[in-house]
Amino acid sequence: MRTEGIVNVEYHQFSISGPDTETLDAHHEGTLIETGPGFVSIFTGVTFGPVHVTIETLDTAPDDSHHSGWEVIEESAIESRENLLLTTAAGSVISTLEPIPSGRYHIRAYARGRDINAGLEVHEPSEHYLFHLWPHEPDCLIDLEVRQVLETDTAWSTEPSSSNQPTSDNIDSRIVTIIGPDGDPVRVGVYSPEAEADRAQRADFGDRPLSAALESLYSARYMAGFDRELVERIEQLDETDQRAFARWCVHRAFDRAGISHIDWIAEGLDAMDKGASRPEAFENGMVSAARLTADPRIIRTINTGIPGSADVIPQYQALAAFENGTAEELPPLEAAMKALQHAAWTYGMDYHELLQSARTDFLNRR
C-alpha cells in the first residue's frame, strides 16, 4: 500500500497513532522521531503548516537504496490494535491519507527539508517525509528504541554546531517584530494581542477585495498587506515582465544578503539572466542551502524580518528567492510574488527600500 498527501502540522510535530492513543507518553527519542506505546511522533522543522508525507507498507524491510536524497533517517517499531492515522499531539486526525491497518510493524522514517524553514509558520510545503512499515516478527517483543541510520540536517540535532555562525536554531520563533505606535520596532510574542492585531490589519483590504488571481496566492496576499498598489501593478504586467521582475527580486535579495560576489552564486545569477539551466550548485533548494552553509567565505547574519514575522537568516532567504523566482513550473505571477516575498525578508525592517526600488528601478522603466 502507498498513500501520500499534504499534512498540516502543529507545534513542530505530528504523529502516527490510533485515534484514541495518548501520544505524549514518549519512551524513546531521536532527532526525527519519538516513540511510545502505540505511536510514533515526528519532529518537523516548521512550527505550523503543510508538509508532504508518503507512507508505504512493505512485505519486507527496505534496502539501503532508499537512503539517497534524504537528510535524516531513523528506525523503530510500532504496535497498535487500532488502525493507524496521522494525528496531532492532542490526538486530532489531521489527514485524509489512507489508514494503516492495525498490527505490529517495524518503521523507518525519512525526512528532508527540515532546515529550510525551521521555526517558521509556512503556507506551502518545504519538508518531505517518507515512512516505510513492514511486518514485525510475531513472537518478538516490540522494541521502541530509536535507531539512527543517517543524520545530515541540523534540526533537532543533539550535536553542538561546529560553526559559530547562526543557524535556524538561533531564531526564537515565539517572537516577532512589529512596528509600535511610535513607529519603532517592537518585539512581541507571536500570538500576543499586538501580533494578532498586526496580522489582522495587514489582512484587511477594505471594501475592495483583491483579484481572484492575487487572492489565490498566499505570497500575493502577504505582500499586499505591505504594498497593495505595487502587488497589483505586478499583476498587470505581461508574463515576460513578471518573469523579469522575479529575476530582479533575486538579484536584489543576493545583493542585500551580501553574497552576490561569491563565485558559484554569481554563476547561478548569470545562468538565470541568460535563461540557461541551473548550475549544479542550484540543482534544488537543499543542494544550494548545503553549499551556502559549508562555504567559509559566507558570513550568515540574522535579520528581524519584516513587520509581523520572526527573525530570518537573509542569506537563506536569498536562496529561497532564487529557488522560487526561477521555478519554471510556477506560473509567472506566482514566481514574481514569491521572489518578492523572500527578497523583502532579506531586507528586514528596511523592506520599504526594496518596494520603492521596485517602482523606480523596474516598474517605472517598463
Side-chain angles (χ1 to χ4, degrees):
M1 181 193 80
R2 175 187 172 92
T3 182
E4 62 181 309
I6 303 301
V7 172
N8 285 300
V9 305
E10 300 177 359
Y11 300 102
H12 284 292
Q13 196 172 73
F14 66 98
S15 299
I16 298 175
S17 73
D20 299 319
T21 302
E22 170 59 67
T23 61
L24 300 179
D25 182 25
H27 291 189
H28 300 279
E29 181 178 308
T31 64
L32 174 58
I33 61 175
E34 65 178 12
T35 63
F39 74 91
V40 172
S41 291
I42 297 87
F43 302 125
T44 63
V46 299
T47 308
F48 296 93
V51 300
H52 186 271
V53 173
T54 301
I55 300 176
E56 295 181 342
T57 53
L58 310 174
D59 294 330
T60 58
D63 58 40
D64 292 346
S65 65
H66 292 88
H67 291 187
S68 177
W70 298 101
E71 297 171 337
V72 56
I73 304 173
E74 292 181 348
E75 293 182 346
S76 188
I78 186 170
E79 179 178 21
S80 176
R81 296 180 180 179
E82 304 176 287
N83 287 346
L84 294 166
L85 307 169
L86 293 179
T87 63
T88 67
S92 301
V93 177
I94 56 175
S95 174
T96 56
L97 269 65
E98 187 174 346
I100 303 164
S102 60
R104 296 158 54 94
Y105 297 96
H106 295 282
I107 183 168
R108 181 181 294 172
Y110 309 72
R112 64 172 180 265
R114 296 194 303 167
D115 289 340
I116 297 174
N117 290 308
L120 299 179
E121 178 177 359
V122 301
H123 297 267
E124 297 175 359
S126 58
E127 301 181 16
H128 296 261
Y129 296 87
L130 168 65
F131 302 95
H132 281 151
L133 293 93
W134 64 98
H136 195 284
E137 298 77 8
D139 298 328
C140 296
L141 292 176
I142 289 285
D143 182 5
L144 300 182
E145 188 76 32
V146 176
R147 296 171 293 282
Q148 189 174 90
V149 179
L150 171 72
E151 182 188 18
T152 61
D153 66 3
T154 61
W156 300 93
S157 176
T158 58
E159 295 297 324
S161 172
S162 59
S163 170
N164 292 325
Q165 293 208 52
T167 69
S168 54
D169 291 337
N170 300 112
I171 294 174
D172 188 348
S173 60
R174 300 169 299 177
I175 302 297
V176 298
T177 303
I178 64 171
I179 301 300
D182 58 358
D184 293 329
V186 178
R187 307 281 275 179
V188 298
V190 64
Y191 297 117
S192 66
E194 297 87 349
E196 296 287 3
D198 182 81
R199 285 190 285 270
Q201 179 183 4
R202 297 189 188 283
D204 182 7
F205 299 114
D207 296 332
R208 184 170 64 87
L210 294 175
S211 69
L214 294 177
E215 184 65 34
S216 68
L217 299 174
Y218 167 76
S219 53
R221 298 194 308 273
Y222 182 87
M223 292 309 302
F226 296 94
D227 195 329
R228 175 178 180 152
E229 188 266 345
L230 174 64
V231 167
E232 290 180 332
R233 287 185 65 181
I234 296 168
E235 181 189 20
Q236 293 165 6
L237 297 173
D238 63 32
E239 292 189 351
T240 298
D241 281 345
Q242 287 171 348
R243 293 286 187 195
F245 180 74
R247 295 192 296 272
W248 181 90
C249 289
V250 172
H251 276 287
R252 299 291 80 73
F254 278 112
D255 288 347
R256 189 69 177 192
I259 53 177
S260 294
H261 65 285
I262 301 296
D263 50 6
W264 60 273
I265 291 175
E267 180 185 358
L269 293 174
D270 184 59
M272 175 187 73
D273 291 338
K274 293 178 178 177
S277 300
R278 292 179 178 182
E280 183 179 352
F282 286 93
E283 180 181 354
N284 58 54
M286 290 187 298
V287 170
S288 57
R291 181 73 178 267
L292 189 151
T293 301
D295 194 323
R297 299 169 297 174
I298 294 177
I299 305 301
R300 300 193 298 276
T301 56
I302 294 181
N303 263 9
T304 57
I306 60 179
S309 74
D311 293 351
V312 299
I313 296 177
Q315 291 73 31
Y316 290 128
Q317 291 300 322
L319 291 181
F322 183 99
E323 182 74 12
N324 288 281
T326 62
E328 295 181 358
E329 66 273 16
L330 293 181
L333 177 60
E334 184 174 2
M337 289 294 103
K338 287 186 173 181
L340 176 63
Q341 178 184 349
H342 288 290
W345 276 337
T346 69
Y347 275 70
M349 286 296 161
D350 295 326
Y351 70 95
H352 52 86
E353 295 180 15
L354 173 71
L355 304 185
Q356 181 58 37
S357 182
R359 288 182 169 84
T360 58
D361 297 345
F362 187 88
L363 293 175
N364 292 349
R365 298 182 180 182
R366 284 300 187 272

